[in-house]
Amino acid sequence: MKRQMMLPILAGCLLVLAWSLVTAAQAAPEATPSPAGISLDPPALVIDTFYAGRSVSLKGEVADGERVILEVLGPREDATFDVKGRVGPFWLNRGLVKVENAPSLYMLLLPADAPDAARLESLGLGMGQLKTEARVAATGHNADQLFAQFLEFKQGAGLYLQRAGAVAYAPAGPGRRAFSASLDFPSALAAGEYQVIATVLREGAAPQRLEKSYLVEDGHFLGLIKGLAFSHSLLFGVLCVVIALMAGGVMGLVFKGGKGGH
Amino acid sequence: MSWYVYLPIAHQSVFLPLVLGLGFVVGLLSGLFGVGGGFLMTPLLIMIGIPPTVAAASDSNQIVAASASGTYAHSRLGNVDFKMGLYLLAGGIIGGTGGVQLIKLLRQAGDADFVIQITYVIMLGVVGGYMLVESLQSLRAAKSPAGRAPAPAAVPAKDSAYNRFLSSLPFQSNFHKSGIVLSPVVPLFLGALVGVLAAIMGVGGGFIMVPVMVYLLRMPMHVVVGTSLFQVLFTCVDVTIMQAWSNHTVDFLLALILLLGSTIGAQVGAKLSSKLKAEQLKVLLACVVVLVMVKMLVGLLLTPDSLLSVHGGH
């Protein structure tokens, strides 16, 4: 009798969890123009349960003849890596490297008529600039080589990218032209305040920078889990164990009740 | 609805059917062989982009479900020696605590990772190789005409030095489920030894415990599987709570998806294990262990794509 009652209760608990997952998806807010001259649609990115990367549309306007280079920077973070080295025939971890103050995400979107690499560097744009801002802490290793490895690692994970021809122009009235780009936020994305920077270049004039903060936030269900995991960690750990035991028990009962049960 | 699910602690989306499938495969191994599967699942999760620390901690959480499901299935079949499991568990806790301190000392001395990785490969190679050779010989013997002859009612145990040593130990006790008489000192000691190794290598230790039970405790294979799962369950409950509390690295959603796959896999594995012969089970487990060893060895020998990897995990 007890077992007969347990099965629907435990199955109900799992159903509630599944329902929470489905209802966690949220509608994105509507687009609003930015006072800085850049508008993003959606104006904030909500990471819901089924988030798998998202394109954000960026639009703005400049004068004819001006060129626009776009950057997106994630929150600055410190990351620790194992560094592999050769010991005889083996590649083994040979120490740690800490890369501090590097953005979690970096996108550099260039128009088709972008300046060359040397000009970009002189403007303080591109991944070379990140090196001047980040700190590499590693004893017994070459910091420059490690930072190059760090960039390769981030590019391999799809978190750092540089894309040419990604900023498009269109006419927008007398003496003006509109620019637009699609910011492809990757599936590996953490909530936080991101910076969108448009550098406007005009022949014979100093470059102008338009900056806008872009908020990436967790949906309700994910926020609830994170809140529990970080603010009530012991309770969270116990809950994880209880749910795992329940799931194991439910499956045991389901299989026992099944045709091929023991 | 998307086929992707975002993991709030790993900060990463994963393809739902892929993770469910991984859970099923590892659960199947768990139910078949009585191993937690951490030695296999954590590297697989890292391969699909989960940060190592999150992979290791969330894997422990899903093993709780798989081992609970497997223990339940095996206990209904009468395949769990709870008395032996408790002695091994007590030893494992003592050894695990000591092992954590040992690894701290090794790290201070430097080159700890070198010791760990090489120990891991050698352990897997020796255990897997020995099991494979021994179980293949037994299978061949069973197929030969002499092997097919009915076994005598009672075969006296070989009076080896090891057997004489076991008999000479104090507090001899009857372990009914396993059908052996043994001093509790033996499972306590061996449990502690496995605990030290498991702590050093950062895994649950099921894949070391199973050969220990088979070859050193001389337990029947089907009881070994159930009893190992019983022990793995408690180890992983402890690890999950400690990881969630101290490091905030348990990703509940990842564990939930994995455990849905693994609990089904564990039940299927338990059914399969009761249909397979002990020697067949040993051959399969030995193949899995040897494959993992080869994969690790290749990983150590090939030039890596990147010299950097996210710190943490197993």
Side-chain angles (χ1 to χ4, degrees):
Chain A
M1 183 64 189
K2 270 185 184 172
R3 274 184 184 164
Q4 282 173 338
M5 284 174 67
M6 250 178 84
L7 181 59
I9 292 169
L10 295 177
C13 291
L14 282 180
L15 273 175
V16 168
L17 276 171
W19 176 82
S20 307
L21 291 173
V22 174
T23 53
Q26 294 176 354
E30 282 177 24
T32 49
S34 154
I38 308 170
S39 76
L40 292 151
D41 181 23
L45 182 59
V46 177
I47 301 177
D48 59 40
T49 316
F50 299 111
Y51 172 81
R54 167 132 201 212
S55 287
V56 171
S57 163
L58 182 148
K59 285 176 185 163
E61 242 181 66
V62 287
D64 264 343
E66 287 180 336
R67 291 180 291 174
V68 179
I69 295 166
L70 296 169
E71 286 177 294
V72 180
L73 289 101
R76 302 273 169 177
E77 63 179 17
D78 300 343
T80 306
F81 298 90
D82 289 313
V83 189
K84 282 194 166 47
R86 197 142 198 175
V87 181
F90 302 116
W91 285 94
L92 299 164
N93 293 333
R94 301 291 291 162
L96 291 176
V97 57
K98 198 168 181 184
V99 181
E100 296 171 335
N101 198 42
S104 59
L105 176 92
Y106 182 74
M107 290 190 237
L108 179 67
L109 304 181
L110 302 165
D113 57 349
D116 59 21
R119 171 84 173 121
L120 285 175
E121 202 173 325
S122 71
L123 288 166
L125 297 170
M127 293 187 204
Q129 177 64 20
L130 300 179
K131 191 176 154 192
T132 64
E133 295 162 2
R135 284 182 299 277
V136 179
T139 47
H141 294 281
N142 182 316
D144 287 347
Q145 279 179 0
L146 285 179
F147 194 77
Q149 289 284 329
F150 169 76
L151 290 180
E152 273 181 31
F153 178 87
K154 285 286 206 177
Q155 285 171 303
L159 294 169
Y160 282 18
L161 64 89
Q162 178 173 328
R163 198 175 285 161
V167 180
Y169 299 110
R176 306 286 296 168
R177 66 173 175 172
F179 64 89
S180 64
S182 176
L183 311 180
D184 296 327
F185 280 88
S187 59
L189 190 73
E193 196 173 301
Y194 288 67
Q195 292 299 315
V196 180
I197 303 168
T199 304
V200 182
L201 306 176
R202 187 181 181 85
E203 288 301 325
Q208 270 188 304
R209 277 163 73 94
L210 303 174
E211 284 193 34
K212 183 176 168 62
S213 290
Y214 190 65
L215 199 62
V216 176
E217 48 195 2
D218 289 316
H220 288 313
F221 180 62
L222 298 182
L224 178 75
I225 291 180
K226 264 193 183 173
L228 266 174
F230 287 95
S231 307
H232 307 280
S233 50
L234 181 59
L235 173 69
F236 180 70
V238 172
L239 275 176
C240 285
V241 166
V242 169
I243 291 169
L245 288 172
M246 277 167 48
V250 167
M251 288 301 165
L253 287 171
V254 167
F255 271 73
K256 191 196 174 193
K259 206 175 173 183
H262 291 302
Chain B
M1 186 181 136
S2 157
W3 284 106
Y4 285 83
V5 167
Y6 182 84
L7 308 174
I9 307 298
H11 298 137
Q12 167 87 37
S13 289
V14 287
F15 186 52
L16 189 58
L18 175 69
V19 181
L20 270 174
L22 285 182
F24 179 84
V25 170
V26 174
L28 189 74
L29 294 178
S30 178
L32 261 177
F33 307 124
V35 295
F39 69 101
L40 195 61
M41 178 63 94
T42 304
L44 289 174
L45 289 175
I46 293 169
M47 271 170 65
I48 65 166
I50 307 296
T53 46
V54 178
S58 309
D59 186 28
S60 294
N61 192 18
Q62 76 85 20
I63 293 171
V64 170
S67 53
S69 177
T71 304
Y72 182 61
H74 280 284
S75 68
R76 276 194 277 114
L77 294 165
N79 287 343
V80 183
D81 188 334
F82 290 101
K83 186 177 169 184
M84 182 69 85
L86 285 172
Y87 279 119
L88 288 167
L89 183 65
I93 291 168
I94 297 163
T97 311
V100 169
Q101 298 308 315
L102 187 64
I103 198 73
K104 273 186 189 166
L105 288 174
L106 276 171
R107 283 200 196 284
Q108 280 166 9
D111 283 347
D113 289 327
F114 177 83
V115 174
I116 291 167
Q117 285 170 299
I118 294 298
T119 307
Y120 209 117
V121 169
I122 293 171
M123 280 288 301
L124 287 172
V126 170
V127 169
Y130 180 76
M131 280 185 80
L132 192 61
V133 170
E134 195 267 353
S135 47
L136 282 174
Q137 281 172 348
S138 303
L139 269 180
R140 274 199 213 106
K143 277 182 184 168
S144 68
R148 282 196 206 110
V155 180
K158 232 197 289 180
D159 194 24
S160 64
Y162 180 66
N163 278 339
R164 284 199 300 277
F165 170 71
L166 290 184
S167 311
S168 68
L169 290 170
F171 316 115
Q172 294 287 323
S173 177
N174 199 341
F175 292 85
H176 295 285
K177 273 275 156 65
S178 300
I180 52 173
V181 177
L182 197 68
S183 167
V185 174
V186 181
L188 270 173
F189 174 75
L190 290 175
L193 201 65
V194 173
V196 171
L197 286 172
I200 289 176
M201 294 192 278
V203 293
F207 74 101
I208 316 170
M209 184 59 86
V210 170
V212 162
M213 287 180 181
V214 173
Y215 296 107
L216 297 180
L217 294 175
R218 311 272 165 88
M219 291 166 64
M221 187 64 190
H222 288 102
V223 179
V224 164
V225 175
T227 310
S228 172
L229 280 176
F230 170 72
Q231 199 218 358
V232 165
L233 169 63
F234 285 93
T235 309
C236 288
V237 164
D238 179 48
V239 171
T240 301
I241 293 175
M242 292 312 292
Q243 289 278 21
W245 192 19
S246 311
N247 301 328
H248 315 289
T249 45
V250 176
D251 197 305
F252 170 70
L253 275 192
L254 175 61
L256 188 70
I257 299 164
L258 287 173
L259 69 85
L260 281 175
S262 68
T263 46
I264 296 169
Q267 291 289 336
V268 175
K271 279 173 195 291
L272 274 176
S273 82
S274 62
K275 285 178 184 163
L276 290 171
K277 289 176 185 162
E279 296 309 325
Q280 291 171 323
L281 274 175
K282 278 190 214 168
V283 171
L284 285 174
L285 177 58
C287 289
V288 171
V289 173
V290 170
L291 274 176
V292 173
M293 188 275 288
V294 170
K295 189 234 159 217
M296 282 200 70
L297 195 59
V298 169
L300 289 173
L301 290 169
L302 290 182
T303 306
D305 293 336
S306 172
L307 294 183
L308 300 186
S309 57
V310 179
H311 176 62
H314 287 325

